[in-house]
Coordinates of all heavy atoms in Angstrom, one line a residue:
F221 N -39.5 -50.2 -52.8 CA -40.6 -51.0 -53.4 C -41.4 -51.6 -52.2 O -42.7 -51.5 -52.2 CB -40.0 -52.1 -54.3 CG -41.1 -53.1 -54.8 CD1 -41.9 -52.7 -55.8 CD2 -41.2 -54.3 -54.2 CE1 -42.9 -53.6 -56.3 CE2 -42.2 -55.2 -54.6 CZ -43.1 -54.9 -55.7
F222 N -40.8 -52.3 -51.3 CA -41.5 -52.9 -50.2 C -42.1 -51.9 -49.2 O -43.2 -52.2 -48.6 CB -40.6 -53.9 -49.5 CG -40.6 -55.3 -50.2 CD1 -39.5 -55.5 -51.1 CD2 -41.5 -56.2 -50.1 CE1 -39.4 -56.7 -51.8 CE2 -41.5 -57.4 -50.8 CZ -40.4 -57.7 -51.6
S223 N -41.5 -50.8 -49.1 CA -42.1 -49.7 -48.2 C -43.4 -49.3 -48.8 O -44.4 -49.2 -48.0 CB -41.2 -48.5 -48.2 OG -39.9 -48.8 -47.6
F224 N -43.5 -49.1 -50.1 CA -44.8 -48.7 -50.7 C -45.8 -49.8 -50.7 O -47.0 -49.6 -50.5 CB -44.5 -48.2 -52.1 CG -43.9 -46.8 -52.2 CD1 -42.6 -46.6 -52.7 CD2 -44.6 -45.7 -51.7 CE1 -42.0 -45.4 -52.7 CE2 -44.0 -44.4 -51.8 CZ -42.7 -44.3 -52.3
V225 N -45.3 -51.0 -51.0 CA -46.2 -52.2 -51.0 C -46.9 -52.4 -49.6 O -48.1 -52.5 -49.4 CB -45.5 -53.4 -51.5 CG1 -46.4 -54.7 -51.2 CG2 -45.2 -53.3 -52.9
I226 N -46.0 -52.5 -48.6 CA -46.5 -52.7 -47.2 C -47.3 -51.5 -46.7 O -48.4 -51.7 -46.2 CB -45.3 -52.9 -46.2 CG1 -44.5 -54.2 -46.6 CG2 -45.8 -53.1 -44.8 CD1 -43.2 -54.4 -45.9
G227 N -46.9 -50.3 -46.9 CA -47.6 -49.1 -46.5 C -49.0 -49.1 -47.2 O -50.0 -48.7 -46.6
G228 N -49.0 -49.4 -48.5 CA -50.2 -49.4 -49.3 C -51.2 -50.4 -48.8 O -52.4 -50.1 -48.6
I229 N -50.8 -51.6 -48.5 CA -51.6 -52.7 -48.0 C -52.2 -52.3 -46.6 O -53.4 -52.4 -46.4 CB -50.9 -54.0 -47.9 CG1 -50.5 -54.5 -49.3 CG2 -51.7 -55.0 -47.1 CD1 -49.6 -55.7 -49.3
V230 N -51.4 -51.8 -45.7 CA -51.8 -51.4 -44.4 C -52.8 -50.2 -44.5 O -53.8 -50.2 -43.8 CB -50.6 -51.1 -43.5 CG1 -51.1 -50.5 -42.2 CG2 -49.8 -52.3 -43.2
G231 N -52.5 -49.3 -45.4 CA -53.4 -48.1 -45.5 C -54.7 -48.5 -46.0 O -55.8 -48.0 -45.5
I232 N -54.8 -49.4 -47.0 CA -56.1 -49.9 -47.5 C -56.9 -50.6 -46.4 O -58.1 -50.4 -46.2 CB -55.9 -50.9 -48.7 CG1 -55.3 -50.1 -49.9 CG2 -57.2 -51.6 -49.1 CD1 -54.9 -50.9 -51.1
I233 N -56.2 -51.5 -45.6 CA -56.9 -52.2 -44.5 C -57.4 -51.2 -43.5 O -58.5 -51.3 -43.0 CB -55.9 -53.2 -43.9 CG1 -55.5 -54.3 -44.8 CG2 -56.5 -53.7 -42.6 CD1 -54.4 -55.2 -44.3
L234 N -56.6 -50.2 -43.2 CA -57.1 -49.2 -42.2 C -58.3 -48.4 -42.7 O -59.2 -48.1 -41.9 CB -55.9 -48.2 -41.9 CG -54.8 -48.8 -41.1 CD1 -53.7 -47.7 -41.0 CD2 -55.2 -49.2 -39.7
M235 N -58.4 -48.1 -44.0 CA -59.5 -47.4 -44.5 C -60.7 -48.3 -44.6 O -61.9 -47.9 -44.4 CB -59.2 -46.8 -45.9 CG -58.3 -45.6 -45.8 SD -58.0 -44.7 -47.3 CE -56.8 -45.7 -48.1
I236 N -60.5 -49.6 -45.0 CA -61.6 -50.6 -45.1 C -62.2 -50.8 -43.7 O -63.5 -50.8 -43.5 CB -61.1 -51.9 -45.6 CG1 -60.8 -51.8 -47.1 CG2 -62.2 -53.0 -45.4 CD1 -60.2 -53.0 -47.7
T237 N -61.4 -50.9 -42.7 CA -61.9 -51.0 -41.3 C -62.3 -49.7 -40.7 O -62.7 -49.7 -39.5 CB -60.8 -51.7 -40.4 OG1 -59.6 -50.9 -40.4 CG2 -60.5 -53.1 -40.9
R238 N -62.2 -48.6 -41.4 CA -62.6 -47.3 -41.0 C -61.8 -46.8 -39.8 O -62.3 -45.9 -39.0 CB -64.1 -47.2 -40.7 CG -64.9 -47.5 -42.0 CD -66.4 -47.3 -41.7 NE -67.1 -47.6 -43.0 CZ -68.4 -47.5 -43.1 NH1 -69.2 -47.2 -42.0 NH2 -69.1 -47.7 -44.2
E239 N -60.6 -47.3 -39.5 CA -59.8 -46.8 -38.5 C -59.1 -45.5 -39.0 O -58.7 -44.7 -38.1 CB -58.7 -47.8 -38.1 CG -59.3 -49.0 -37.4 CD -58.2 -50.0 -36.9 OE1 -57.1 -49.4 -36.4 OE2 -58.4 -51.2 -36.9
K240 N -58.9 -45.4 -40.3 CA -58.4 -44.2 -40.9 C -59.3 -43.8 -42.1 O -59.9 -44.7 -42.7 CB -57.0 -44.4 -41.3 CG -56.0 -44.6 -40.2 CD -55.6 -43.4 -39.5 CE -54.4 -43.7 -38.5 NZ -54.0 -42.5 -37.8
S241 N -59.3 -42.5 -42.4 CA -60.0 -42.0 -43.6 C -58.9 -41.6 -44.6 O -57.7 -41.5 -44.2 CB -60.9 -40.9 -43.3 OG -60.3 -39.7 -42.9

Side-chain angles (χ1 to χ4, degrees):
F221 175 78
F222 279 95
S223 297
F224 285 114
V225 169
I226 297 169
I229 292 172
V230 173
I232 291 169
I233 292 172
L234 290 175
M235 285 189 282
I236 290 174
T237 58
R238 297 185 178 180
E239 292 187 36
K240 296 280 187 180
S241 70

